[in-house]
Amino acid sequence: MTSTPASTSTDWQQWQTSWDRQQEWYMPDREERFRVMTDAVEAVAGRTPLVLDLACGTGSITARVLRALPGARAVCVDIDPALLTIARGHFAGDDRVTFAEADLTDPGWTARLPHTTFDAVVTATALHWLDTEPLRRLYGTLAGLLREGGVFLNADHMYDESAPRLNSAMNALLTMRQERQRAEGALDWADWWGRVADDPALAEPAARRFALLGDPREPRPAGARPDRPTSVQWHLDTLRAQGFSEARQIWCSASDSLVAALR
Ligand SMILES: C[S@@+](CC[C@H](N)C(=O)[O-])C[C@H]1O[C@@H](n2cnc3c(N)ncnc32)[C@H](O)[C@@H]1O
C-alpha cells in the first residue's frame, strides 16, 4: 500500500465537495443512486458491514455509507494517487476507513487489500473504464472476495437499448441543462483537473495521475473505440456466470443503472 501524506492545511472537505459537484454535473441523480445503494447495503449486510469501495475516487460512496451506517468500516481502493490524496485528507483520523492504491486490471490487486472477505462491494461510474475481458475477470474476483450472502452494487453507464428514442430524448434534455449550468460556471472533468493541478498540495500526485492515466485537460487521442460492455443485460448475465446467485437492476435513469448481485 503506498500513500501520499495529506497536507493538514488543505481544505479537504472543499475538495470533496467540488468533486461531488463536478460528478453531479454529469449525473444530476447521483445522490439518489447512492441512497438506493446504501439502503441495499443495509438491507443485505446489516448496520455494521465491512465494505469495499471499489475505484473509490475521493470516497464519495464511503462517506454516504458511513453517514447512514456509522458502525460500518470501509476499504477504499483506487489507481489514482491524486483522488486518493483527497480521500485520505477527507477521512483523516477516521479509523473506520483504510486505503489501498491498486490497478483493478492487475491480476494480483487483491493482495493490496487489508482483508480477504467483505460483506459488501460498492462502486459507481468506474467500471466502464474497463474492457470486456478484464471486467469479466474482475466480476469473478469480486465473487471470491464477498462472503456468502454478501452483496455487490455497481452504478454505472449501462443502457437499456430497447428504447433508443426515449434514451436520446432524455439525454438531450440533460445536455441542454448541462450547457446552461456550464454558462453559469459549472466545472467539467477537464476544468476540475486543472484546479487540482494548480493546488500545490495536489500537484505531485496529480502529475503521477497524468503520467499513469493521461491528462484530462488534453484532447483524447482519436482511434478505435474501446471494447466496453454497455448494456444492463451484459452485466446481469456476466455476474451470474461469474459466481453470483442473483443479479438484478435496482435503480435506473435514461443512461445509467444500479445493478445489485448477491453472492
Ligand atoms: C468517475 S470516478 C468515480 C469515483 C467514485 N466511485 C465516485 O462515484 O465518485 C472513476 C474512478 O475509477 C478509477 N479507476 C479507473 N480505472 C481504474 C483501475 N483500473 N483501477 C482502479 N481504479 C480505477 C479512477 O481512478 C476514478 O477514481
Side-chain angles (χ1 to χ4, degrees), residues 19-20 23 30 34 53-58 60-61 77-80 83 102-105 123-126 129-130 189 213:
W19 167 262
D20 285 337
Q23 288 286 289
R30 181 169 176 262
F34 286 168
D53 185 347
L54 201 65
C56 62
T58 60
S60 298
I61 303 176
V77 60
D78 203 284
I79 192 175
D80 186 322
L83 297 180
D103 179 349
L104 299 175
T105 64
T123 187
T125 330
W129 290 36
L130 271 55
W189 183 246
L213 298 169

PDB file of all heavy atoms in Angstrom, residues 19-20 23 30 34 53-58 60-61 77-80 83 102-105 123-126 129-130 189 213, ligand 1:
ATOM      1  N   TRP A  19     -15.490  17.854  -5.990  1.00  0.00           N
ATOM      2  CA  TRP A  19     -15.563  16.605  -6.772  1.00  0.00           C
ATOM      3  C   TRP A  19     -17.030  16.189  -6.970  1.00  0.00           C
ATOM      4  O   TRP A  19     -17.475  15.845  -8.060  1.00  0.00           O
ATOM      5  CB  TRP A  19     -14.795  15.484  -6.057  1.00  0.00           C
ATOM      6  CG  TRP A  19     -15.066  14.115  -6.608  1.00  0.00           C
ATOM      7  CD1 TRP A  19     -15.932  13.188  -6.123  1.00  0.00           C
ATOM      8  CD2 TRP A  19     -14.480  13.529  -7.786  1.00  0.00           C
ATOM      9  NE1 TRP A  19     -15.929  12.047  -6.903  1.00  0.00           N
ATOM     10  CE2 TRP A  19     -15.041  12.235  -7.934  1.00  0.00           C
ATOM     11  CE3 TRP A  19     -13.547  13.959  -8.720  1.00  0.00           C
ATOM     12  CZ2 TRP A  19     -14.696  11.381  -8.976  1.00  0.00           C
ATOM     13  CZ3 TRP A  19     -13.203  13.093  -9.767  1.00  0.00           C
ATOM     14  CH2 TRP A  19     -13.774  11.829  -9.889  1.00  0.00           C
ATOM     15  N   ASP A  20     -17.787  16.240  -5.855  1.00  0.00           N
ATOM     16  CA  ASP A  20     -19.199  15.833  -5.937  1.00  0.00           C
ATOM     17  C   ASP A  20     -19.961  16.729  -6.918  1.00  0.00           C
ATOM     18  O   ASP A  20     -20.765  16.236  -7.716  1.00  0.00           O
ATOM     19  CB  ASP A  20     -19.851  15.882  -4.545  1.00  0.00           C
ATOM     20  CG  ASP A  20     -19.419  14.718  -3.658  1.00  0.00           C
ATOM     21  OD1 ASP A  20     -18.989  13.673  -4.190  1.00  0.00           O
ATOM     22  OD2 ASP A  20     -19.512  14.843  -2.419  1.00  0.00           O
ATOM     23  N   GLN A  23     -19.073  15.762 -10.487  1.00  0.00           N
ATOM     24  CA  GLN A  23     -19.718  14.500 -10.894  1.00  0.00           C
ATOM     25  C   GLN A  23     -21.229  14.680 -11.071  1.00  0.00           C
ATOM     26  O   GLN A  23     -21.833  14.090 -11.964  1.00  0.00           O
ATOM     27  CB  GLN A  23     -19.435  13.412  -9.849  1.00  0.00           C
ATOM     28  CG  GLN A  23     -18.001  12.928  -9.858  1.00  0.00           C
ATOM     29  CD  GLN A  23     -17.717  12.041 -11.076  1.00  0.00           C
ATOM     30  OE1 GLN A  23     -18.195  10.921 -11.166  1.00  0.00           O
ATOM     31  NE2 GLN A  23     -16.938  12.548 -12.032  1.00  0.00           N
ATOM     32  N   ARG A  30     -27.113  11.599  -9.007  1.00  0.00           N
ATOM     33  CA  ARG A  30     -26.061  10.797  -8.365  1.00  0.00           C
ATOM     34  C   ARG A  30     -26.385  10.483  -6.907  1.00  0.00           C
ATOM     35  O   ARG A  30     -26.207   9.357  -6.439  1.00  0.00           O
ATOM     36  CB  ARG A  30     -24.746  11.572  -8.472  1.00  0.00           C
ATOM     37  CG  ARG A  30     -23.521  10.894  -7.885  1.00  0.00           C
ATOM     38  CD  ARG A  30     -22.300  11.669  -8.321  1.00  0.00           C
ATOM     39  NE  ARG A  30     -21.050  11.202  -7.767  1.00  0.00           N
ATOM     40  CZ  ARG A  30     -20.460  11.733  -6.718  1.00  0.00           C
ATOM     41  NH1 ARG A  30     -21.022  12.748  -6.087  1.00  0.00           N
ATOM     42  NH2 ARG A  30     -19.305  11.249  -6.294  1.00  0.00           N
ATOM     43  N   PHE A  34     -26.903   6.788  -4.886  1.00  0.00           N
ATOM     44  CA  PHE A  34     -26.129   6.447  -3.681  1.00  0.00           C
ATOM     45  C   PHE A  34     -27.064   6.071  -2.525  1.00  0.00           C
ATOM     46  O   PHE A  34     -26.734   5.218  -1.710  1.00  0.00           O
ATOM     47  CB  PHE A  34     -25.246   7.626  -3.265  1.00  0.00           C
ATOM     48  CG  PHE A  34     -24.035   7.843  -4.147  1.00  0.00           C
ATOM     49  CD1 PHE A  34     -23.286   9.008  -4.046  1.00  0.00           C
ATOM     50  CD2 PHE A  34     -23.624   6.888  -5.070  1.00  0.00           C
ATOM     51  CE1 PHE A  34     -22.167   9.215  -4.838  1.00  0.00           C
ATOM     52  CE2 PHE A  34     -22.515   7.082  -5.875  1.00  0.00           C
ATOM     53  CZ  PHE A  34     -21.784   8.259  -5.750  1.00  0.00           C
ATOM     54  N   ASP A  53     -14.985  -0.209  -1.172  1.00  0.00           N
ATOM     55  CA  ASP A  53     -15.383   0.862  -2.102  1.00  0.00           C
ATOM     56  C   ASP A  53     -14.391   0.811  -3.266  1.00  0.00           C
ATOM     57  O   ASP A  53     -13.249   1.277  -3.170  1.00  0.00           O
ATOM     58  CB  ASP A  53     -15.345   2.210  -1.359  1.00  0.00           C
ATOM     59  CG  ASP A  53     -15.855   3.367  -2.216  1.00  0.00           C
ATOM     60  OD1 ASP A  53     -16.010   3.204  -3.432  1.00  0.00           O
ATOM     61  OD2 ASP A  53     -16.081   4.457  -1.635  1.00  0.00           O
ATOM     62  N   LEU A  54     -14.864   0.220  -4.350  1.00  0.00           N
ATOM     63  CA  LEU A  54     -14.009  -0.134  -5.485  1.00  0.00           C
ATOM     64  C   LEU A  54     -13.926   1.045  -6.458  1.00  0.00           C
ATOM     65  O   LEU A  54     -14.958   1.556  -6.877  1.00  0.00           O
ATOM     66  CB  LEU A  54     -14.711  -1.317  -6.169  1.00  0.00           C
ATOM     67  CG  LEU A  54     -13.957  -2.242  -7.067  1.00  0.00           C
ATOM     68  CD1 LEU A  54     -12.899  -3.013  -6.290  1.00  0.00           C
ATOM     69  CD2 LEU A  54     -14.920  -3.209  -7.747  1.00  0.00           C
ATOM     70  N   ALA A  55     -12.683   1.433  -6.832  1.00  0.00           N
ATOM     71  CA  ALA A  55     -12.489   2.617  -7.685  1.00  0.00           C
ATOM     72  C   ALA A  55     -13.195   3.803  -7.014  1.00  0.00           C
ATOM     73  O   ALA A  55     -14.049   4.463  -7.574  1.00  0.00           O
ATOM     74  CB  ALA A  55     -13.002   2.368  -9.100  1.00  0.00           C
ATOM     75  N   CYS A  56     -12.755   4.043  -5.775  1.00  0.00           N
ATOM     76  CA  CYS A  56     -13.465   4.934  -4.855  1.00  0.00           C
ATOM     77  C   CYS A  56     -13.381   6.406  -5.213  1.00  0.00           C
ATOM     78  O   CYS A  56     -14.170   7.211  -4.715  1.00  0.00           O
ATOM     79  CB  CYS A  56     -12.898   4.752  -3.447  1.00  0.00           C
ATOM     80  SG  CYS A  56     -11.131   5.208  -3.369  1.00  0.00           S
ATOM     81  N   GLY A  57     -12.400   6.806  -6.047  1.00  0.00           N
ATOM     82  CA  GLY A  57     -12.189   8.236  -6.271  1.00  0.00           C
ATOM     83  C   GLY A  57     -11.867   8.924  -4.958  1.00  0.00           C
ATOM     84  O   GLY A  57     -10.963   8.504  -4.221  1.00  0.00           O
ATOM     85  N   THR A  58     -12.619   9.951  -4.617  1.00  0.00           N
ATOM     86  CA  THR A  58     -12.385  10.687  -3.362  1.00  0.00           C
ATOM     87  C   THR A  58     -13.128  10.052  -2.180  1.00  0.00           C
ATOM     88  O   THR A  58     -13.127  10.614  -1.088  1.00  0.00           O
ATOM     89  CB  THR A  58     -12.849  12.139  -3.519  1.00  0.00           C
ATOM     90  OG1 THR A  58     -14.252  12.115  -3.817  1.00  0.00           O
ATOM     91  CG2 THR A  58     -12.109  12.864  -4.625  1.00  0.00           C
ATOM     92  N   SER A  60     -16.599   9.186  -2.160  1.00  0.00           N
ATOM     93  CA  SER A  60     -17.975   9.694  -2.012  1.00  0.00           C
ATOM     94  C   SER A  60     -18.931   8.619  -1.487  1.00  0.00           C
ATOM     95  O   SER A  60     -19.786   8.909  -0.649  1.00  0.00           O
ATOM     96  CB  SER A  60     -18.503  10.199  -3.352  1.00  0.00           C
ATOM     97  OG  SER A  60     -17.728  11.258  -3.829  1.00  0.00           O
ATOM     98  N   ILE A  61     -18.810   7.405  -2.006  1.00  0.00           N
ATOM     99  CA  ILE A  61     -19.763   6.363  -1.572  1.00  0.00           C
ATOM    100  C   ILE A  61     -19.505   6.015  -0.108  1.00  0.00           C
ATOM    101  O   ILE A  61     -20.445   5.909   0.694  1.00  0.00           O
ATOM    102  CB  ILE A  61     -19.671   5.091  -2.443  1.00  0.00           C
ATOM    103  CG1 ILE A  61     -19.902   5.415  -3.915  1.00  0.00           C
ATOM    104  CG2 ILE A  61     -20.672   4.043  -1.959  1.00  0.00           C
ATOM    105  CD1 ILE A  61     -19.729   4.221  -4.837  1.00  0.00           C
ATOM    106  N   VAL A  77     -10.348   1.621  -2.462  1.00  0.00           N
ATOM    107  CA  VAL A  77      -9.266   1.254  -3.383  1.00  0.00           C
ATOM    108  C   VAL A  77      -9.420   2.017  -4.691  1.00  0.00           C
ATOM    109  O   VAL A  77     -10.525   2.162  -5.211  1.00  0.00           O
ATOM    110  CB  VAL A  77      -9.220  -0.289  -3.595  1.00  0.00           C
ATOM    111  CG1 VAL A  77     -10.494  -0.824  -4.181  1.00  0.00           C
ATOM    112  CG2 VAL A  77      -8.045  -0.687  -4.475  1.00  0.00           C
ATOM    113  N   ASP A  78      -8.303   2.521  -5.211  1.00  0.00           N
ATOM    114  CA  ASP A  78      -8.312   3.241  -6.486  1.00  0.00           C
ATOM    115  C   ASP A  78      -6.891   3.229  -7.040  1.00  0.00           C
ATOM    116  O   ASP A  78      -5.924   3.017  -6.308  1.00  0.00           O
ATOM    117  CB  ASP A  78      -8.796   4.689  -6.300  1.00  0.00           C
ATOM    118  CG  ASP A  78      -9.352   5.288  -7.585  1.00  0.00           C
ATOM    119  OD1 ASP A  78      -8.553   5.649  -8.484  1.00  0.00           O
ATOM    120  OD2 ASP A  78     -10.588   5.372  -7.707  1.00  0.00           O
ATOM    121  N   ILE A  79      -6.801   3.502  -8.348  1.00  0.00           N
ATOM    122  CA  ILE A  79      -5.496   3.582  -9.003  1.00  0.00           C
ATOM    123  C   ILE A  79      -4.922   4.994  -8.946  1.00  0.00           C
ATOM    124  O   ILE A  79      -3.732   5.200  -9.139  1.00  0.00           O
ATOM    125  CB  ILE A  79      -5.639   3.118 -10.484  1.00  0.00           C
ATOM    126  CG1 ILE A  79      -4.283   2.897 -11.136  1.00  0.00           C
ATOM    127  CG2 ILE A  79      -6.460   4.113 -11.291  1.00  0.00           C
ATOM    128  CD1 ILE A  79      -4.377   2.316 -12.548  1.00  0.00           C
ATOM    129  N   ASP A  80      -5.774   5.983  -8.683  1.00  0.00           N
ATOM    130  CA  ASP A  80      -5.417   7.390  -8.902  1.00  0.00           C
ATOM    131  C   ASP A  80      -4.832   8.032  -7.635  1.00  0.00           C
ATOM    132  O   ASP A  80      -5.551   8.231  -6.650  1.00  0.00           O
ATOM    133  CB  ASP A  80      -6.686   8.150  -9.340  1.00  0.00           C
ATOM    134  CG  ASP A  80      -6.401   9.583  -9.722  1.00  0.00           C
ATOM    135  OD1 ASP A  80      -5.556  10.219  -9.059  1.00  0.00           O
ATOM    136  OD2 ASP A  80      -7.035  10.068 -10.664  1.00  0.00           O
ATOM    137  N   LEU A  83      -6.738  11.439  -6.469  1.00  0.00           N
ATOM    138  CA  LEU A  83      -8.050  11.263  -5.833  1.00  0.00           C
ATOM    139  C   LEU A  83      -7.884  10.590  -4.466  1.00  0.00           C
ATOM    140  O   LEU A  83      -8.588  10.933  -3.503  1.00  0.00           O
ATOM    141  CB  LEU A  83      -8.983  10.465  -6.745  1.00  0.00           C
ATOM    142  CG  LEU A  83      -9.325  11.145  -8.080  1.00  0.00           C
ATOM    143  CD1 LEU A  83     -10.254  10.274  -8.911  1.00  0.00           C
ATOM    144  CD2 LEU A  83      -9.954  12.520  -7.866  1.00  0.00           C
ATOM    145  N   ALA A 102      -4.320   0.596  -6.072  1.00  0.00           N
ATOM    146  CA  ALA A 102      -4.189  -0.616  -6.878  1.00  0.00           C
ATOM    147  C   ALA A 102      -4.887  -0.430  -8.218  1.00  0.00           C
ATOM    148  O   ALA A 102      -5.853   0.328  -8.336  1.00  0.00           O
ATOM    149  CB  ALA A 102      -4.797  -1.811  -6.141  1.00  0.00           C
ATOM    150  N   ASP A 103      -4.386  -1.158  -9.210  1.00  0.00           N
ATOM    151  CA  ASP A 103      -4.994  -1.184 -10.546  1.00  0.00           C
ATOM    152  C   ASP A 103      -5.867  -2.440 -10.625  1.00  0.00           C
ATOM    153  O   ASP A 103      -5.360  -3.567 -10.524  1.00  0.00           O
ATOM    154  CB  ASP A 103      -3.874  -1.228 -11.593  1.00  0.00           C
ATOM    155  CG  ASP A 103      -4.408  -1.289 -13.011  1.00  0.00           C
ATOM    156  OD1 ASP A 103      -5.625  -1.496 -13.208  1.00  0.00           O
ATOM    157  OD2 ASP A 103      -3.581  -1.146 -13.935  1.00  0.00           O
ATOM    158  N   LEU A 104      -7.160  -2.242 -10.797  1.00  0.00           N
ATOM    159  CA  LEU A 104      -8.100  -3.377 -10.790  1.00  0.00           C
ATOM    160  C   LEU A 104      -7.884  -4.327 -11.967  1.00  0.00           C
ATOM    161  O   LEU A 104      -8.454  -5.423 -11.977  1.00  0.00           O
ATOM    162  CB  LEU A 104      -9.544  -2.863 -10.802  1.00  0.00           C
ATOM    163  CG  LEU A 104      -9.950  -1.995  -9.615  1.00  0.00           C
ATOM    164  CD1 LEU A 104     -11.364  -1.445  -9.809  1.00  0.00           C
ATOM    165  CD2 LEU A 104      -9.843  -2.772  -8.304  1.00  0.00           C
ATOM    166  N   THR A 105      -7.098  -3.922 -12.949  1.00  0.00           N
ATOM    167  CA  THR A 105      -6.815  -4.834 -14.070  1.00  0.00           C
ATOM    168  C   THR A 105      -5.552  -5.659 -13.801  1.00  0.00           C
ATOM    169  O   THR A 105      -5.213  -6.547 -14.577  1.00  0.00           O
ATOM    170  CB  THR A 105      -6.639  -4.071 -15.403  1.00  0.00           C
ATOM    171  OG1 THR A 105      -5.495  -3.221 -15.302  1.00  0.00           O
ATOM    172  CG2 THR A 105      -7.870  -3.246 -15.728  1.00  0.00           C
ATOM    173  N   THR A 123     -19.511   0.258  -5.980  1.00  0.00           N
ATOM    174  CA  THR A 123     -18.744   1.011  -6.963  1.00  0.00           C
ATOM    175  C   THR A 123     -19.686   1.850  -7.816  1.00  0.00           C
ATOM    176  O   THR A 123     -20.854   1.487  -7.995  1.00  0.00           O
ATOM    177  CB  THR A 123     -17.871   0.067  -7.831  1.00  0.00           C
ATOM    178  OG1 THR A 123     -17.019   0.866  -8.662  1.00  0.00           O
ATOM    179  CG2 THR A 123     -18.699  -0.846  -8.722  1.00  0.00           C
ATOM    180  N   ALA A 124     -19.176   2.990  -8.312  1.00  0.00           N
ATOM    181  CA  ALA A 124     -20.013   3.841  -9.168  1.00  0.00           C
ATOM    182  C   ALA A 124     -19.158   4.557 -10.210  1.00  0.00           C
ATOM    183  O   ALA A 124     -18.044   5.008  -9.920  1.00  0.00           O
ATOM    184  CB  ALA A 124     -20.752   4.885  -8.314  1.00  0.00           C
ATOM    185  N   THR A 125     -19.722   4.643 -11.415  1.00  0.00           N
ATOM    186  CA  THR A 125     -19.156   5.438 -12.514  1.00  0.00           C
ATOM    187  C   THR A 125     -17.686   5.108 -12.745  1.00  0.00           C
ATOM    188  O   THR A 125     -16.870   6.004 -13.008  1.00  0.00           O
ATOM    189  CB  THR A 125     -19.304   6.962 -12.216  1.00  0.00           C
ATOM    190  OG1 THR A 125     -20.465   7.164 -11.419  1.00  0.00           O
ATOM    191  CG2 THR A 125     -19.476   7.739 -13.511  1.00  0.00           C
ATOM    192  N   ALA A 126     -17.347   3.853 -12.650  1.00  0.00           N
ATOM    193  CA  ALA A 126     -15.936   3.490 -12.719  1.00  0.00           C
ATOM    194  C   ALA A 126     -15.670   2.289 -13.621  1.00  0.00           C
ATOM    195  O   ALA A 126     -14.718   2.309 -14.404  1.00  0.00           O
ATOM    196  CB  ALA A 126     -15.415   3.202 -11.313  1.00  0.00           C
ATOM    197  N   TRP A 129     -14.616   2.003 -17.346  1.00  0.00           N
ATOM    198  CA  TRP A 129     -13.239   2.247 -17.781  1.00  0.00           C
ATOM    199  C   TRP A 129     -12.558   0.943 -18.191  1.00  0.00           C
ATOM    200  O   TRP A 129     -11.500   0.969 -18.792  1.00  0.00           O
ATOM    201  CB  TRP A 129     -12.420   2.890 -16.657  1.00  0.00           C
ATOM    202  CG  TRP A 129     -12.780   4.298 -16.309  1.00  0.00           C
ATOM    203  CD1 TRP A 129     -14.022   4.855 -16.306  1.00  0.00           C
ATOM    204  CD2 TRP A 129     -11.885   5.345 -15.890  1.00  0.00           C
ATOM    205  NE1 TRP A 129     -13.956   6.162 -15.900  1.00  0.00           N
ATOM    206  CE2 TRP A 129     -12.662   6.495 -15.643  1.00  0.00           C
ATOM    207  CE3 TRP A 129     -10.504   5.410 -15.681  1.00  0.00           C
ATOM    208  CZ2 TRP A 129     -12.105   7.699 -15.205  1.00  0.00           C
ATOM    209  CZ3 TRP A 129      -9.965   6.604 -15.243  1.00  0.00           C
ATOM    210  CH2 TRP A 129     -10.755   7.735 -15.018  1.00  0.00           C
ATOM    211  N   LEU A 130     -13.148  -0.198 -17.809  1.00  0.00           N
ATOM    212  CA  LEU A 130     -12.509  -1.490 -18.074  1.00  0.00           C
ATOM    213  C   LEU A 130     -13.073  -2.127 -19.341  1.00  0.00           C
ATOM    214  O   LEU A 130     -14.289  -2.059 -19.590  1.00  0.00           O
ATOM    215  CB  LEU A 130     -12.751  -2.442 -16.890  1.00  0.00           C
ATOM    216  CG  LEU A 130     -11.726  -2.426 -15.752  1.00  0.00           C
ATOM    217  CD1 LEU A 130     -11.507  -1.049 -15.171  1.00  0.00           C
ATOM    218  CD2 LEU A 130     -12.163  -3.379 -14.653  1.00  0.00           C
ATOM    219  N   TRP A 189     -14.995  17.818 -16.215  1.00  0.00           N
ATOM    220  CA  TRP A 189     -13.862  16.945 -15.840  1.00  0.00           C
ATOM    221  C   TRP A 189     -12.518  17.645 -16.066  1.00  0.00           C
ATOM    222  O   TRP A 189     -11.667  17.706 -15.175  1.00  0.00           O
ATOM    223  CB  TRP A 189     -13.993  15.684 -16.690  1.00  0.00           C
ATOM    224  CG  TRP A 189     -13.039  14.558 -16.517  1.00  0.00           C
ATOM    225  CD1 TRP A 189     -12.121  14.117 -17.436  1.00  0.00           C
ATOM    226  CD2 TRP A 189     -12.932  13.660 -15.394  1.00  0.00           C
ATOM    227  NE1 TRP A 189     -11.456  13.021 -16.952  1.00  0.00           N
ATOM    228  CE2 TRP A 189     -11.937  12.715 -15.715  1.00  0.00           C
ATOM    229  CE3 TRP A 189     -13.577  13.566 -14.172  1.00  0.00           C
ATOM    230  CZ2 TRP A 189     -11.569  11.686 -14.838  1.00  0.00           C
ATOM    231  CZ3 TRP A 189     -13.201  12.537 -13.297  1.00  0.00           C
ATOM    232  CH2 TRP A 189     -12.212  11.622 -13.625  1.00  0.00           C
ATOM    233  N   LEU A 213      -2.553   7.780 -16.196  1.00  0.00           N
ATOM    234  CA  LEU A 213      -3.874   7.638 -16.832  1.00  0.00           C
ATOM    235  C   LEU A 213      -4.133   8.692 -17.906  1.00  0.00           C
ATOM    236  O   LEU A 213      -5.201   8.697 -18.518  1.00  0.00           O
ATOM    237  CB  LEU A 213      -4.983   7.764 -15.773  1.00  0.00           C
ATOM    238  CG  LEU A 213      -5.009   6.725 -14.659  1.00  0.00           C
ATOM    239  CD1 LEU A 213      -5.974   7.142 -13.559  1.00  0.00           C
ATOM    240  CD2 LEU A 213      -5.416   5.367 -15.203  1.00  0.00           C
TER     241      LEU A 213
HETATM  242  C1  LIG B   1     -15.550   8.882 -12.263  1.00  0.00           C
HETATM  243  S1  LIG B   1     -14.557   8.253 -10.970  1.00  0.00           S
HETATM  244  C2  LIG B   1     -15.774   7.670  -9.806  1.00  0.00           C
HETATM  245  C3  LIG B   1     -15.234   7.665  -8.400  1.00  0.00           C
HETATM  246  C4  LIG B   1     -16.271   7.335  -7.301  1.00  0.00           C
HETATM  247  N1  LIG B   1     -16.731   5.965  -7.415  1.00  0.00           N
HETATM  248  C5  LIG B   1     -17.444   8.299  -7.352  1.00  0.00           C
HETATM  249  O1  LIG B   1     -18.546   7.873  -7.728  1.00  0.00           O
HETATM  250  O2  LIG B   1     -17.255   9.467  -7.007  1.00  0.00           O
HETATM  251  C6  LIG B   1     -13.887   6.745 -11.660  1.00  0.00           C
HETATM  252  C7  LIG B   1     -12.804   6.153 -10.771  1.00  0.00           C
HETATM  253  O3  LIG B   1     -12.360   4.885 -11.280  1.00  0.00           O
HETATM  254  C8  LIG B   1     -10.973   4.787 -11.021  1.00  0.00           C
HETATM  255  N2  LIG B   1     -10.390   3.755 -11.891  1.00  0.00           N
HETATM  256  C9  LIG B   1     -10.470   3.693 -13.225  1.00  0.00           C
HETATM  257  N3  LIG B   1      -9.787   2.632 -13.681  1.00  0.00           N
HETATM  258  C10 LIG B   1      -9.260   2.019 -12.598  1.00  0.00           C
HETATM  259  C11 LIG B   1      -8.447   0.863 -12.413  1.00  0.00           C
HETATM  260  N4  LIG B   1      -8.022   0.151 -13.461  1.00  0.00           N
HETATM  261  N5  LIG B   1      -8.108   0.513 -11.173  1.00  0.00           N
HETATM  262  C12 LIG B   1      -8.534   1.241 -10.097  1.00  0.00           C
HETATM  263  N6  LIG B   1      -9.289   2.340 -10.204  1.00  0.00           N
HETATM  264  C13 LIG B   1      -9.661   2.719 -11.445  1.00  0.00           C
HETATM  265  C14 LIG B   1     -10.490   6.191 -11.341  1.00  0.00           C
HETATM  266  O4  LIG B   1      -9.189   6.437 -10.854  1.00  0.00           O
HETATM  267  C15 LIG B   1     -11.566   7.041 -10.687  1.00  0.00           C
HETATM  268  O5  LIG B   1     -11.294   7.285  -9.341  1.00  0.00           O
END
